[in-house]
Amino acid sequence: MPQLVETSEGLALVEGELSMRGDFTRMLSRVNPNKVHQELLVKAAKIKGTPTEELLAVDATAGLGEDSLLLAAAGFRVIMFERDETIAALLEDALARAAADPRLAGLVARMELRKEDSIAALNSAKLAPDVVLLDPMFPTRTKSASVKKKFQLIHGLEAPCEDEEALLAAAEAAGPRKIVIKRPPKGPHLAGRKPAYSLTGKAVRYDCLVYARP
């Protein structure tokens, strides 16, 4: 059974020889102001005619917060939801370490972690996000041993999404202008919903649902 262990490098999830921790420093090259707007996620989340600095994004399935960091680096204000206590603890520790790092402090200042279930929160809270990001865990195939190890530990804590309809309905209930859904390039649409458009890269596809606010 994986256990949280305090190490010299921060809080880690450890099981046998496997170890994982949140670490935003490995994202430094990607959050560079000259590069981050070329990220496929950032392109998918942008709303035409509105500066990113004016947009609120909700990451309903935050995990270790790497997607949220990309959005924050692009100017979004981000509210992250993570229901699993262990994963939330890893993310909270990563945020605290990043806040003490001058290279990342300004970015994580735009990120807020809420340790609760996003389905309940999106259905009840008056968040009024501009964008909702959904990344329901999906059984992935990868040739990378390091990624396999990472997902092996996470899968032990949080299973792939079992109620896609409820997740999507909660995101829609929040009244966003756009829902961005992270999928494998050849994976099925979430809850069978056809997007308005998709942006596809080598390792990931972003399906975008677009809504008109009253």
Side-chain angles (χ1 to χ4, degrees):
M1 184 72 180
Q3 294 192 5
L4 290 173
V5 178
E6 288 283 359
T7 73
S8 60
E9 296 180 316
L11 192 65
L13 182 65
V14 178
E15 182 179 27
E17 296 181 356
L18 300 180
S19 179
M20 178 183 69
R21 64 185 175 88
D23 182 10
F24 290 136
T25 60
R26 59 180 149 218
M27 299 280 290
L28 283 170
S29 63
R30 296 178 65 186
V31 298
N32 183 301
N34 296 322
K35 294 183 178 180
V36 71
H37 290 277
Q38 298 305 311
E39 289 280 343
L40 204 61
L41 169 60
V42 173
K43 291 181 178 180
K46 286 182 177 180
I47 295 177
K48 187 176 180 180
T50 305
T52 54
E53 290 76 13
E54 297 178 12
L55 297 175
L56 169 63
V58 165
D59 186 346
T61 47
L64 294 179
E66 293 180 355
D67 286 337
S68 290
L69 184 71
L70 289 174
L71 293 177
F76 290 80
R77 184 164 62 90
V78 187
I79 296 175
M80 302 173 289
F81 287 95
E82 178 50 57
R83 66 182 180 181
D84 184 87
E85 293 181 0
T86 301
I87 297 174
L90 292 171
L91 176 52
E92 188 172 43
D93 180 71
L95 289 167
R97 284 183 281 110
D101 187 328
R103 299 169 298 176
L104 292 164
L107 306 187
V108 297
R110 293 198 284 271
M111 299 164 64
E112 175 189 345
L113 172 60
R114 299 188 183 182
K115 294 182 272 187
E116 56 185 299
D117 180 70
S118 62
I119 292 179
L122 289 168
N123 275 315
S124 61
K126 303 297 182 182
L127 293 171
D130 297 287
V131 179
V132 175
L133 171 62
L134 303 179
D135 179 14
M137 192 171 292
F138 192 92
T140 57
R141 294 180 181 178
T142 175
K143 296 179 181 179
S144 168
S146 62
V147 173
K148 281 183 180 179
K149 288 181 179 180
K150 173 181 174 182
F151 279 98
Q152 184 176 334
L153 284 172
I154 291 180
H155 277 203
L157 300 171
E158 209 164 43
C161 181
E162 295 180 351
D163 197 341
E164 296 181 350
E165 290 81 6
L167 181 62
L168 183 55
E172 290 182 317
R177 298 163 67 183
K178 179 184 283 189
I179 295 175
V180 177
I181 305 168
K182 191 175 184 178
R183 299 267 80 188
K186 296 183 180 180
H189 296 137
L190 185 72
R193 180 73 65 85
K194 185 177 180 181
Y197 64 94
S198 299
L199 299 180
T200 305
K202 291 182 179 179
V204 68
R205 185 185 82 232
Y206 292 101
D207 291 342
C208 300
L209 306 179
V210 182
Y211 304 84
R213 278 184 175 167

